[in-house]
Amino acid sequence: QVQLVESGGGLVQAGGSLRLSCAASGRTVSDYDMGWFRHPPGKEREFVVSITSSGVRTSYADSVKGRFTISRGNAKNTVYLQMNSLKPEDTAVYYCAASRAFVRPYEYWGQGTQVTVSS
């Protein structure tokens, strides 16, 4: 079992930055593929970014390419999402997820953290 806790959300003006953290407990986060998803108001949950357990491969949604960066802090058993040049359409609840390699859908989910971008 893996427990995931997101933090770092908040209110920011358009063009600003936030860094989300996903702290894992129960297992070592480096053993898992990790992903970030978001649930915008009134819309379906959508994929944002993922990183393989090795950290070698990442995948980004087109809407966030060049603005968001996922990284691993394995020593802290944490995964980060650096979000720059934020736009109002980035407003959503952001969720961290973890899964064993090649196992989908993601097996473990955090409780989410709210990100609100004002125009």
Side-chain angles (χ1 to χ4, degrees):
Q1 286 283 348
V2 178
Q3 292 79 45
L4 303 172
V5 179
E6 302 96 334
S7 62
L11 174 64
V12 64
Q13 289 188 330
S17 299
L18 282 174
R19 187 176 81 157
L20 305 183
S21 299
C22 174
S25 61
R27 296 293 297 269
T28 302
V29 70
S30 59
D31 291 339
Y32 293 84
D33 293 348
M34 302 295 296
W36 285 94
F37 293 76
R38 65 186 183 187
H39 193 173
K43 298 182 180 180
E44 298 291 320
R45 186 176 65 190
E46 61 187 32
F47 167 80
V48 177
V49 61
S50 64
I51 186 168
T52 56
S53 57
S54 64
V56 172
R57 294 175 62 184
T58 57
S59 179
Y60 289 87
D62 288 343
S63 58
V64 306
K65 280 182 182 176
R67 300 188 299 121
F68 290 13
T69 304
I70 189 171
S71 62
R72 289 183 172 271
N74 288 341
K76 296 184 178 180
N77 218 27
T78 300
V79 175
Y80 302 99
L81 180 62
Q82 178 67 44
M83 306 186 296
N84 298 327
S85 302
L86 283 161
K87 304 175 181 180
E89 51 264 43
D90 294 318
T91 294
V93 178
Y94 283 72
Y95 296 90
C96 174
S99 195
R100 290 167 290 170
F102 309 115
V103 175
R104 298 292 185 271
Y106 280 83
E107 300 174 276
Y108 306 103
W109 293 81
Q111 83 291 347
T113 185
Q114 176 71 47
V115 172
T116 303
V117 184
S118 63
S119 58

